[in-house]
Amino acid sequence: DGSSAGISPHSGSYLALLGTFNSPSSLSQSIVTAPGRPYLISFWLNGPDGSTPNEFLVKWNGKTIFDQTDMPVFDWTNLQFTVTGTGTSGTLQFGYQDDFGFFAIDDVSVTALPVTPPTLSILRSGQNIVVTWPTNAAVFTLRSTTNLSSSNWSTNSGVTVVGGQNAVTNPISGKQMFYQLVQ
């Protein structure tokens, strides 16, 4: 609860005090993610003593996104980083060393950010229909059906990149065709 160190949690009843002498240490957690999905890492950090040497770092999937050394005294500070899921799980790691004190950390969260659905464009090109959408919409898949009342949607294959856009070309068959991007 921080009472032995003379520091109150940022919120709630508990916090973590992180400090090691003469060598860095770390604390990590594996988190379920979706590939290509953006996430917000948020936590509150406090450096109550400013003793040196000290270092605090944050890594996402092994990549350093924050690294500060010999920080002075500072009160509760909210640090936030936007990261991207690269697989079905991600690893959040805090590295720390404070030879004569500690860092306090509280209210750690990793939250999936909303993904704005991309716009589909449908054009006629000769005897074909060309469906395009932005290439940065990696978490979306194009599906189609000829019957909206059916639950039988087919995933479209043969996606190519044309003019910076994903594109699927289908021949005009005389039937209605419905398209959707799904996440």
Side-chain angles (χ1 to χ4, degrees):
D1 67 5
S3 60
S4 64
I7 185 168
S8 298
H10 175 261
S11 69
S13 300
Y14 300 98
L15 65 122
L17 297 175
L18 308 174
T20 58
F21 183 78
N22 220 14
S23 66
S25 192
S26 66
L27 176 67
S28 64
Q29 175 79 39
S30 181
I31 300 160
V32 175
T33 61
R37 179 92 191 235
Y39 293 87
L40 177 67
I41 296 171
S42 177
F43 60 93
W44 288 83
L45 184 66
N46 187 319
D49 56 57
S51 63
T52 59
N54 69 50
E55 179 177 20
F56 192 86
L57 65 90
V58 182
K59 290 184 178 186
W60 174 253
N61 288 332
K63 180 181 174 190
T64 301
I65 57 176
F66 178 83
D67 188 0
Q68 293 289 308
T69 59
D70 296 336
M71 293 184 284
V73 172
F74 61 96
D75 202 1
W76 285 112
T77 303
N78 184 223
L79 298 174
Q80 297 184 340
F81 306 94
T82 302
V83 296
T84 303
T86 57
T88 56
S89 69
T91 302
L92 174 60
Q93 180 180 3
F94 297 108
Y96 52 90
Q97 179 178 346
D98 194 333
D99 283 7
F100 302 102
F102 54 85
F103 292 102
I105 189 169
D106 201 359
D107 299 323
V108 178
S109 65
V110 178
T111 308
L113 294 173
V115 177
T116 304
T119 302
L120 271 179
S121 296
I122 303 174
L123 310 165
R124 182 176 182 153
S125 177
Q127 295 300 309
N128 295 307
I129 294 290
V130 180
V131 181
T132 62
W133 66 99
T135 55
N136 64 355
V139 297
F140 291 90
T141 303
L142 182 68
R143 299 191 320 175
S144 62
T145 187
T146 57
N147 183 353
L148 280 178
S149 62
S150 166
S151 60
N152 187 20
W153 287 81
S154 300
T155 299
N156 290 140
S157 59
V159 176
T160 59
V161 176
V162 177
Q165 297 276 307
N166 288 316
V168 170
T169 302
N170 290 323
I172 297 172
S173 64
K175 295 181 182 180
Q176 331 182 80
M177 185 65 73
F178 301 94
Y179 294 93
Q180 67 178 197
L181 281 175
V182 293
Q183 185 178 359

